[in-house]
Amino acid sequence: MRLVYPLATLALFALLALTLAVAIGSVPITPTELWAVVRGAGEPLHQTLIFELRAPRALAAFAVGGLLAIAGALMQVLLRNPLADPYVLGLSGGAAVGALSAMVAGLGVALVSGAAFAGALFSTLLVFGLAHGTGSWTPTRLLLTGVVVAAGWGAVITFMLAVSPSEQLPGMLYWLMGDLAYARSPWLALAVLGAAVVAAAPLGRSLNVLARGALQAQALGVAVRPLEWGVYLAASLLTAVAVTTAGSIGFVGLVVPHMLRLVLGNDQRLILPASALAGGTLLVLADIVARTAIAPEQLPVGVITAMLGVPLFLYLLHRSR
């Protein structure tokens, strides 16, 4: 029951956030009208707004936020560093280079997403290969390699923006800042999120031991190296799917697991599913603000998460001191 009550509370908040996301917009939908749509008796305009526009975007935001938060929680266990986040290993940079290359080539949205996914996976293999070298990698070596590779991707991105045609720059910049405007199909991201939560459930005890250190985990019978490889690859895959769906969105994977640990403790059996719910809820609420703050114009949701994440993380860091 200790795990049920926090998760039930977070699930309720997630449901409320999703309800707000489909009700708030340029055409507001009242609770009565929303209930009529759910029963199949609503007005055609409201049905179109909910089922074709707002609900897919809200579900995509929830899936991306959950993926980033779980990836952040896994990275923090892997690196034994509460300040680690999914983008620290250059995954976002690799995905950005792939997506921007497809945009420069004039490819369609589907191919841009595919190129982003390929770039993220290439960056994963590159960082892992360089960190492994001729011996074995350590959390510190992996972290430093990721930081250097991320800096290299940043230089490539700057070069691509400098030489790209001016008419393509707005779309490229919006993608780099994180944009859910074109996230019309959330089902792949939701499926990956559900699979991640189910797969992480039996690993909670092993991850609790791993968080205390590799030597202690090995002494207690945990297969440390395969578990570390699995955690790294899983976090990379989750980040790649999130970046492919909505572009580069920062601070969700950093702030959400850190905040939950301060409130709920450090039990990974609770932190991982709680991260999925809290991360999804946070990004849904941030996307509502992005859609309505300067309506009819829309802000990139990555701007909102940064504006919320920076002061919140500084507060949490000060409180945990």
Side-chain angles (χ1 to χ4, degrees):
M1 298 300 291
R2 184 179 65 85
L3 304 180
V4 173
Y5 289 130
L7 294 179
T9 302
L10 289 172
L12 178 60
F13 279 118
L15 182 60
L16 291 175
L18 290 170
T19 303
L20 287 175
V22 299
I24 295 177
S26 57
V27 178
I29 299 176
T30 65
T32 303
E33 294 169 337
L34 181 60
W35 177 243
V37 172
V38 172
R39 291 188 293 109
E43 296 183 11
L45 174 61
H46 293 161
Q47 293 180 359
T48 300
L49 284 174
I50 291 175
F51 293 121
E52 296 185 15
L53 297 175
R54 295 181 185 174
R57 178 165 175 164
L59 291 173
F62 182 83
V64 170
L67 290 172
L68 292 175
I70 292 182
L74 291 174
M75 283 294 184
Q76 290 166 13
V77 172
L78 175 67
L79 301 177
R80 265 83 78 182
N81 187 339
L83 303 183
D85 88 326
Y87 297 143
V88 74
L89 298 183
L91 304 178
S92 176
V97 170
L100 297 184
S101 299
M103 292 179 187
V104 171
L107 302 180
V109 175
L111 293 177
V112 169
S113 298
F117 188 79
L121 292 185
F122 174 76
S123 185
T124 297
L125 298 176
L126 179 63
V127 171
F128 183 78
L130 293 175
H132 191 275
T134 57
S136 60
W137 57 268
T138 63
T140 301
R141 188 172 181 176
L142 187 66
L143 179 61
L144 292 176
T145 304
V147 169
V148 173
V149 170
W153 288 133
V156 174
I157 291 170
T158 302
F159 173 78
M160 295 180 69
L161 292 175
V163 301
S164 297
S166 58
E167 63 271 12
Q168 293 181 332
L169 287 179
M172 297 169 71
L173 291 174
Y174 260 70
W175 194 95
L176 288 172
M177 290 184 287
D179 187 16
L180 284 160
Y182 299 101
R184 293 289 184 260
S185 179
W187 307 118
L188 174 62
L190 283 172
V192 174
L193 177 62
V197 173
V198 172
L203 298 177
R205 293 182 182 275
S206 298
L207 292 174
N208 284 337
V209 179
L210 181 63
R212 299 177 178 272
L215 292 178
Q216 184 173 353
Q218 193 169 11
L220 293 176
V222 176
V224 172
R225 189 59 67 187
L227 180 60
E228 289 181 333
W229 288 347
V231 168
Y232 174 60
L233 293 175
S236 301
L237 177 63
L238 298 182
T239 305
V241 174
V243 171
T244 300
T245 304
S248 299
I249 299 175
F251 288 98
V252 176
L254 177 64
V255 172
V256 170
H258 193 71
M259 179 176 60
L260 290 175
R261 286 191 179 92
L262 292 178
V263 177
L264 303 177
N266 201 29
D267 188 348
Q268 304 305 316
R269 294 173 298 174
L270 175 60
I271 291 298
L272 292 176
S275 294
L277 292 170
T281 301
L282 175 63
L283 197 58
V284 170
L285 295 176
D287 188 52
I288 294 174
V289 176
R291 289 191 292 110
T292 59
I294 57 172
E297 300 295 329
Q298 297 187 22
L299 291 170
V301 70
V303 174
I304 306 300
T305 58
M307 294 174 64
L308 295 175
V310 170
L312 179 59
F313 179 72
L314 291 176
Y315 168 74
L316 293 174
L317 191 61
H318 172 76
R319 182 182 176 186
S320 65
R321 184 180 60 180

PDB file of all heavy atoms in Angstrom, residues 72-104:
ATOM      1  N   GLY A  72      15.564  10.110 -17.199  1.00  0.00           N
ATOM      2  CA  GLY A  72      16.353  10.859 -16.232  1.00  0.00           C
ATOM      3  C   GLY A  72      16.578  10.073 -14.955  1.00  0.00           C
ATOM      4  O   GLY A  72      17.692  10.069 -14.403  1.00  0.00           O
ATOM      5  N   ALA A  73      15.535   9.411 -14.463  1.00  0.00           N
ATOM      6  CA  ALA A  73      15.685   8.599 -13.252  1.00  0.00           C
ATOM      7  C   ALA A  73      16.693   7.473 -13.467  1.00  0.00           C
ATOM      8  O   ALA A  73      17.523   7.181 -12.590  1.00  0.00           O
ATOM      9  CB  ALA A  73      14.327   8.037 -12.838  1.00  0.00           C
ATOM     10  N   LEU A  74      16.642   6.826 -14.633  1.00  0.00           N
ATOM     11  CA  LEU A  74      17.589   5.756 -14.924  1.00  0.00           C
ATOM     12  C   LEU A  74      19.017   6.285 -15.042  1.00  0.00           C
ATOM     13  O   LEU A  74      19.969   5.662 -14.548  1.00  0.00           O
ATOM     14  CB  LEU A  74      17.187   5.044 -16.221  1.00  0.00           C
ATOM     15  CG  LEU A  74      15.903   4.218 -16.166  1.00  0.00           C
ATOM     16  CD1 LEU A  74      15.552   3.687 -17.557  1.00  0.00           C
ATOM     17  CD2 LEU A  74      16.042   3.053 -15.186  1.00  0.00           C
ATOM     18  N   MET A  75      19.181   7.433 -15.701  1.00  0.00           N
ATOM     19  CA  MET A  75      20.514   8.016 -15.828  1.00  0.00           C
ATOM     20  C   MET A  75      21.105   8.376 -14.469  1.00  0.00           C
ATOM     21  O   MET A  75      22.302   8.227 -14.226  1.00  0.00           O
ATOM     22  CB  MET A  75      20.451   9.263 -16.718  1.00  0.00           C
ATOM     23  CG  MET A  75      20.346   8.970 -18.195  1.00  0.00           C
ATOM     24  SD  MET A  75      21.832   8.174 -18.825  1.00  0.00           S
ATOM     25  CE  MET A  75      21.448   8.089 -20.567  1.00  0.00           C
ATOM     26  N   GLN A  76      20.265   8.874 -13.576  1.00  0.00           N
ATOM     27  CA  GLN A  76      20.751   9.248 -12.259  1.00  0.00           C
ATOM     28  C   GLN A  76      21.177   8.037 -11.449  1.00  0.00           C
ATOM     29  O   GLN A  76      22.114   8.117 -10.647  1.00  0.00           O
ATOM     30  CB  GLN A  76      19.674  10.058 -11.534  1.00  0.00           C
ATOM     31  CG  GLN A  76      19.469  11.439 -12.148  1.00  0.00           C
ATOM     32  CD  GLN A  76      18.220  12.138 -11.692  1.00  0.00           C
ATOM     33  OE1 GLN A  76      17.586  11.725 -10.723  1.00  0.00           O
ATOM     34  NE2 GLN A  76      17.838  13.200 -12.384  1.00  0.00           N
ATOM     35  N   VAL A  77      20.516   6.914 -11.652  1.00  0.00           N
ATOM     36  CA  VAL A  77      20.960   5.676 -11.009  1.00  0.00           C
ATOM     37  C   VAL A  77      22.246   5.170 -11.644  1.00  0.00           C
ATOM     38  O   VAL A  77      23.194   4.771 -10.949  1.00  0.00           O
ATOM     39  CB  VAL A  77      19.857   4.597 -11.097  1.00  0.00           C
ATOM     40  CG1 VAL A  77      20.374   3.247 -10.616  1.00  0.00           C
ATOM     41  CG2 VAL A  77      18.649   5.014 -10.276  1.00  0.00           C
ATOM     42  N   LEU A  78      22.295   5.190 -12.970  1.00  0.00           N
ATOM     43  CA  LEU A  78      23.464   4.672 -13.682  1.00  0.00           C
ATOM     44  C   LEU A  78      24.727   5.452 -13.332  1.00  0.00           C
ATOM     45  O   LEU A  78      25.789   4.864 -13.072  1.00  0.00           O
ATOM     46  CB  LEU A  78      23.220   4.731 -15.192  1.00  0.00           C
ATOM     47  CG  LEU A  78      24.389   4.330 -16.090  1.00  0.00           C
ATOM     48  CD1 LEU A  78      24.699   2.855 -15.937  1.00  0.00           C
ATOM     49  CD2 LEU A  78      24.082   4.655 -17.544  1.00  0.00           C
ATOM     50  N   LEU A  79      24.632   6.772 -13.316  1.00  0.00           N
ATOM     51  CA  LEU A  79      25.793   7.616 -13.081  1.00  0.00           C
ATOM     52  C   LEU A  79      25.995   7.949 -11.608  1.00  0.00           C
ATOM     53  O   LEU A  79      26.963   8.629 -11.256  1.00  0.00           O
ATOM     54  CB  LEU A  79      25.671   8.914 -13.880  1.00  0.00           C
ATOM     55  CG  LEU A  79      25.550   8.741 -15.401  1.00  0.00           C
ATOM     56  CD1 LEU A  79      25.361  10.074 -16.085  1.00  0.00           C
ATOM     57  CD2 LEU A  79      26.778   8.036 -15.960  1.00  0.00           C
ATOM     58  N   ARG A  80      25.057   7.461 -10.754  1.00  0.00           N
ATOM     59  CA  ARG A  80      25.116   7.770  -9.323  1.00  0.00           C
ATOM     60  C   ARG A  80      25.258   9.276  -9.104  1.00  0.00           C
ATOM     61  O   ARG A  80      26.059   9.756  -8.283  1.00  0.00           O
ATOM     62  CB  ARG A  80      26.281   7.036  -8.652  1.00  0.00           C
ATOM     63  CG  ARG A  80      25.880   5.735  -8.016  1.00  0.00           C
ATOM     64  CD  ARG A  80      25.832   4.602  -8.999  1.00  0.00           C
ATOM     65  NE  ARG A  80      27.164   4.100  -9.318  1.00  0.00           N
ATOM     66  CZ  ARG A  80      27.382   3.118 -10.205  1.00  0.00           C
ATOM     67  NH1 ARG A  80      26.359   2.567 -10.846  1.00  0.00           N
ATOM     68  NH2 ARG A  80      28.597   2.712 -10.463  1.00  0.00           N
ATOM     69  N   ASN A  81      24.487  10.037  -9.871  1.00  0.00           N
ATOM     70  CA  ASN A  81      24.577  11.486  -9.828  1.00  0.00           C
ATOM     71  C   ASN A  81      23.166  12.053  -9.946  1.00  0.00           C
ATOM     72  O   ASN A  81      22.520  11.886 -10.987  1.00  0.00           O
ATOM     73  CB  ASN A  81      25.446  11.998 -10.987  1.00  0.00           C
ATOM     74  CG  ASN A  81      25.711  13.488 -10.905  1.00  0.00           C
ATOM     75  OD1 ASN A  81      24.978  14.225 -10.249  1.00  0.00           O
ATOM     76  ND2 ASN A  81      26.757  13.941 -11.561  1.00  0.00           N
ATOM     77  N   PRO A  82      22.640  12.708  -8.907  1.00  0.00           N
ATOM     78  CA  PRO A  82      21.266  13.227  -8.965  1.00  0.00           C
ATOM     79  C   PRO A  82      21.093  14.381  -9.933  1.00  0.00           C
ATOM     80  O   PRO A  82      19.967  14.803 -10.183  1.00  0.00           O
ATOM     81  CB  PRO A  82      21.012  13.685  -7.518  1.00  0.00           C
ATOM     82  CG  PRO A  82      22.364  13.961  -6.963  1.00  0.00           C
ATOM     83  CD  PRO A  82      23.289  12.972  -7.606  1.00  0.00           C
ATOM     84  N   LEU A  83      22.185  14.908 -10.491  1.00  0.00           N
ATOM     85  CA  LEU A  83      22.089  16.018 -11.428  1.00  0.00           C
ATOM     86  C   LEU A  83      22.168  15.556 -12.877  1.00  0.00           C
ATOM     87  O   LEU A  83      22.181  16.392 -13.783  1.00  0.00           O
ATOM     88  CB  LEU A  83      23.205  17.038 -11.162  1.00  0.00           C
ATOM     89  CG  LEU A  83      23.253  17.613  -9.748  1.00  0.00           C
ATOM     90  CD1 LEU A  83      24.346  18.658  -9.643  1.00  0.00           C
ATOM     91  CD2 LEU A  83      21.913  18.206  -9.355  1.00  0.00           C
ATOM     92  N   ALA A  84      22.228  14.256 -13.120  1.00  0.00           N
ATOM     93  CA  ALA A  84      22.268  13.746 -14.492  1.00  0.00           C
ATOM     94  C   ALA A  84      20.873  13.843 -15.110  1.00  0.00           C
ATOM     95  O   ALA A  84      19.859  13.795 -14.421  1.00  0.00           O
ATOM     96  CB  ALA A  84      22.748  12.301 -14.503  1.00  0.00           C
ATOM     97  N   ASP A  85      20.836  13.985 -16.438  1.00  0.00           N
ATOM     98  CA  ASP A  85      19.554  14.011 -17.137  1.00  0.00           C
ATOM     99  C   ASP A  85      19.721  13.321 -18.488  1.00  0.00           C
ATOM    100  O   ASP A  85      20.840  12.980 -18.885  1.00  0.00           O
ATOM    101  CB  ASP A  85      19.015  15.437 -17.250  1.00  0.00           C
ATOM    102  CG  ASP A  85      19.518  16.171 -18.481  1.00  0.00           C
ATOM    103  OD1 ASP A  85      20.664  15.915 -18.875  1.00  0.00           O
ATOM    104  OD2 ASP A  85      18.765  16.989 -19.024  1.00  0.00           O
ATOM    105  N   PRO A  86      18.630  13.064 -19.211  1.00  0.00           N
ATOM    106  CA  PRO A  86      18.728  12.255 -20.432  1.00  0.00           C
ATOM    107  C   PRO A  86      19.621  12.830 -21.512  1.00  0.00           C
ATOM    108  O   PRO A  86      20.112  12.093 -22.363  1.00  0.00           O
ATOM    109  CB  PRO A  86      17.267  12.197 -20.919  1.00  0.00           C
ATOM    110  CG  PRO A  86      16.454  12.441 -19.715  1.00  0.00           C
ATOM    111  CD  PRO A  86      17.246  13.370 -18.871  1.00  0.00           C
ATOM    112  N   TYR A  87      19.821  14.142 -21.515  1.00  0.00           N
ATOM    113  CA  TYR A  87      20.571  14.753 -22.600  1.00  0.00           C
ATOM    114  C   TYR A  87      22.055  14.906 -22.286  1.00  0.00           C
ATOM    115  O   TYR A  87      22.811  15.439 -23.096  1.00  0.00           O
ATOM    116  CB  TYR A  87      19.986  16.131 -22.931  1.00  0.00           C
ATOM    117  CG  TYR A  87      18.567  16.063 -23.432  1.00  0.00           C
ATOM    118  CD1 TYR A  87      17.634  17.032 -23.099  1.00  0.00           C
ATOM    119  CD2 TYR A  87      18.154  15.014 -24.242  1.00  0.00           C
ATOM    120  CE1 TYR A  87      16.328  16.964 -23.557  1.00  0.00           C
ATOM    121  CE2 TYR A  87      16.859  14.942 -24.704  1.00  0.00           C
ATOM    122  CZ  TYR A  87      15.950  15.909 -24.368  1.00  0.00           C
ATOM    123  OH  TYR A  87      14.658  15.834 -24.832  1.00  0.00           O
ATOM    124  N   VAL A  88      22.461  14.455 -21.100  1.00  0.00           N
ATOM    125  CA  VAL A  88      23.842  14.692 -20.693  1.00  0.00           C
ATOM    126  C   VAL A  88      24.827  13.890 -21.534  1.00  0.00           C
ATOM    127  O   VAL A  88      26.001  14.239 -21.630  1.00  0.00           O
ATOM    128  CB  VAL A  88      24.010  14.371 -19.192  1.00  0.00           C
ATOM    129  CG1 VAL A  88      23.994  12.866 -18.961  1.00  0.00           C
ATOM    130  CG2 VAL A  88      25.297  14.972 -18.643  1.00  0.00           C
ATOM    131  N   LEU A  89      24.363  12.828 -22.171  1.00  0.00           N
ATOM    132  CA  LEU A  89      25.259  11.979 -22.962  1.00  0.00           C
ATOM    133  C   LEU A  89      25.212  12.303 -24.451  1.00  0.00           C
ATOM    134  O   LEU A  89      25.645  11.502 -25.274  1.00  0.00           O
ATOM    135  CB  LEU A  89      24.918  10.501 -22.738  1.00  0.00           C
ATOM    136  CG  LEU A  89      25.083  10.007 -21.307  1.00  0.00           C
ATOM    137  CD1 LEU A  89      24.781   8.524 -21.216  1.00  0.00           C
ATOM    138  CD2 LEU A  89      26.467  10.303 -20.776  1.00  0.00           C
ATOM    139  N   GLY A  90      24.694  13.458 -24.818  1.00  0.00           N
ATOM    140  CA  GLY A  90      24.722  13.880 -26.206  1.00  0.00           C
ATOM    141  C   GLY A  90      23.630  13.293 -27.066  1.00  0.00           C
ATOM    142  O   GLY A  90      23.675  13.429 -28.301  1.00  0.00           O
ATOM    143  N   LEU A  91      22.637  12.641 -26.465  1.00  0.00           N
ATOM    144  CA  LEU A  91      21.577  12.021 -27.265  1.00  0.00           C
ATOM    145  C   LEU A  91      20.749  13.069 -27.999  1.00  0.00           C
ATOM    146  O   LEU A  91      20.406  12.903 -29.168  1.00  0.00           O
ATOM    147  CB  LEU A  91      20.667  11.181 -26.363  1.00  0.00           C
ATOM    148  CG  LEU A  91      21.355  10.102 -25.535  1.00  0.00           C
ATOM    149  CD1 LEU A  91      20.339   9.394 -24.658  1.00  0.00           C
ATOM    150  CD2 LEU A  91      22.061   9.117 -26.432  1.00  0.00           C
ATOM    151  N   SER A  92      20.429  14.148 -27.300  1.00  0.00           N
ATOM    152  CA  SER A  92      19.643  15.204 -27.932  1.00  0.00           C
ATOM    153  C   SER A  92      20.408  15.838 -29.083  1.00  0.00           C
ATOM    154  O   SER A  92      19.825  16.150 -30.125  1.00  0.00           O
ATOM    155  CB  SER A  92      19.281  16.269 -26.893  1.00  0.00           C
ATOM    156  OG  SER A  92      18.600  17.344 -27.493  1.00  0.00           O
ATOM    157  N   GLY A  93      21.709  16.035 -28.905  1.00  0.00           N
ATOM    158  CA  GLY A  93      22.512  16.625 -29.969  1.00  0.00           C
ATOM    159  C   GLY A  93      22.554  15.755 -31.208  1.00  0.00           C
ATOM    160  O   GLY A  93      22.418  16.251 -32.339  1.00  0.00           O
ATOM    161  N   GLY A  94      22.725  14.448 -31.037  1.00  0.00           N
ATOM    162  CA  GLY A  94      22.720  13.546 -32.183  1.00  0.00           C
ATOM    163  C   GLY A  94      21.389  13.541 -32.898  1.00  0.00           C
ATOM    164  O   GLY A  94      21.325  13.558 -34.137  1.00  0.00           O
ATOM    165  N   ALA A  95      20.295  13.538 -32.108  1.00  0.00           N
ATOM    166  CA  ALA A  95      18.971  13.574 -32.722  1.00  0.00           C
ATOM    167  C   ALA A  95      18.753  14.890 -33.466  1.00  0.00           C
ATOM    168  O   ALA A  95      18.165  14.912 -34.550  1.00  0.00           O
ATOM    169  CB  ALA A  95      17.898  13.393 -31.650  1.00  0.00           C
ATOM    170  N   ALA A  96      19.239  15.987 -32.886  1.00  0.00           N
ATOM    171  CA  ALA A  96      19.062  17.287 -33.526  1.00  0.00           C
ATOM    172  C   ALA A  96      19.809  17.358 -34.853  1.00  0.00           C
ATOM    173  O   ALA A  96      19.284  17.874 -35.846  1.00  0.00           O
ATOM    174  CB  ALA A  96      19.537  18.397 -32.590  1.00  0.00           C
ATOM    175  N   VAL A  97      21.020  16.826 -34.899  1.00  0.00           N
ATOM    176  CA  VAL A  97      21.781  16.839 -36.145  1.00  0.00           C
ATOM    177  C   VAL A  97      21.064  16.017 -37.214  1.00  0.00           C
ATOM    178  O   VAL A  97      20.956  16.424 -38.377  1.00  0.00           O
ATOM    179  CB  VAL A  97      23.204  16.306 -35.908  1.00  0.00           C
ATOM    180  CG1 VAL A  97      23.926  16.080 -37.231  1.00  0.00           C
ATOM    181  CG2 VAL A  97      23.997  17.283 -35.049  1.00  0.00           C
ATOM    182  N   GLY A  98      20.531  14.852 -36.828  1.00  0.00           N
ATOM    183  CA  GLY A  98      19.795  14.041 -37.788  1.00  0.00           C
ATOM    184  C   GLY A  98      18.553  14.742 -38.302  1.00  0.00           C
ATOM    185  O   GLY A  98      18.290  14.763 -39.509  1.00  0.00           O
ATOM    186  N   ALA A  99      17.782  15.352 -37.385  1.00  0.00           N
ATOM    187  CA  ALA A  99      16.551  16.024 -37.799  1.00  0.00           C
ATOM    188  C   ALA A  99      16.836  17.250 -38.653  1.00  0.00           C
ATOM    189  O   ALA A  99      16.184  17.463 -39.678  1.00  0.00           O
ATOM    190  CB  ALA A  99      15.749  16.418 -36.560  1.00  0.00           C
ATOM    191  N   LEU A 100      17.813  18.043 -38.260  1.00  0.00           N
ATOM    192  CA  LEU A 100      18.128  19.240 -39.027  1.00  0.00           C
ATOM    193  C   LEU A 100      18.669  18.889 -40.409  1.00  0.00           C
ATOM    194  O   LEU A 100      18.389  19.595 -41.389  1.00  0.00           O
ATOM    195  CB  LEU A 100      19.134  20.104 -38.271  1.00  0.00           C
ATOM    196  CG  LEU A 100      18.665  20.674 -36.924  1.00  0.00           C
ATOM    197  CD1 LEU A 100      19.721  21.584 -36.332  1.00  0.00           C
ATOM    198  CD2 LEU A 100      17.346  21.411 -37.069  1.00  0.00           C
ATOM    199  N   SER A 101      19.414  17.800 -40.501  1.00  0.00           N
ATOM    200  CA  SER A 101      19.902  17.359 -41.813  1.00  0.00           C
ATOM    201  C   SER A 101      18.733  17.021 -42.730  1.00  0.00           C
ATOM    202  O   SER A 101      18.737  17.364 -43.920  1.00  0.00           O
ATOM    203  CB  SER A 101      20.823  16.150 -41.652  1.00  0.00           C
ATOM    204  OG  SER A 101      21.955  16.465 -40.864  1.00  0.00           O
ATOM    205  N   ALA A 102      17.726  16.331 -42.171  1.00  0.00           N
ATOM    206  CA  ALA A 102      16.550  15.995 -42.973  1.00  0.00           C
ATOM    207  C   ALA A 102      15.779  17.247 -43.374  1.00  0.00           C
ATOM    208  O   ALA A 102      15.254  17.343 -44.490  1.00  0.00           O
ATOM    209  CB  ALA A 102      15.645  15.044 -42.183  1.00  0.00           C
ATOM    210  N   MET A 103      15.701  18.237 -42.478  1.00  0.00           N
ATOM    211  CA  MET A 103      15.011  19.483 -42.813  1.00  0.00           C
ATOM    212  C   MET A 103      15.733  20.241 -43.919  1.00  0.00           C
ATOM    213  O   MET A 103      15.104  20.776 -44.840  1.00  0.00           O
ATOM    214  CB  MET A 103      14.897  20.364 -41.566  1.00  0.00           C
ATOM    215  CG  MET A 103      13.980  19.835 -40.501  1.00  0.00           C
ATOM    216  SD  MET A 103      13.927  20.923 -39.050  1.00  0.00           S
ATOM    217  CE  MET A 103      12.946  19.928 -37.925  1.00  0.00           C
ATOM    218  N   VAL A 104      17.046  20.303 -43.836  1.00  0.00           N
ATOM    219  CA  VAL A 104      17.821  20.985 -44.867  1.00  0.00           C
ATOM    220  C   VAL A 104      17.630  20.309 -46.219  1.00  0.00           C
ATOM    221  O   VAL A 104      17.561  20.963 -47.261  1.00  0.00           O
ATOM    222  CB  VAL A 104      19.308  21.035 -44.482  1.00  0.00           C
ATOM    223  CG1 VAL A 104      20.168  21.532 -45.637  1.00  0.00           C
ATOM    224  CG2 VAL A 104      19.504  21.924 -43.262  1.00  0.00           C
TER     225      VAL A 104
END
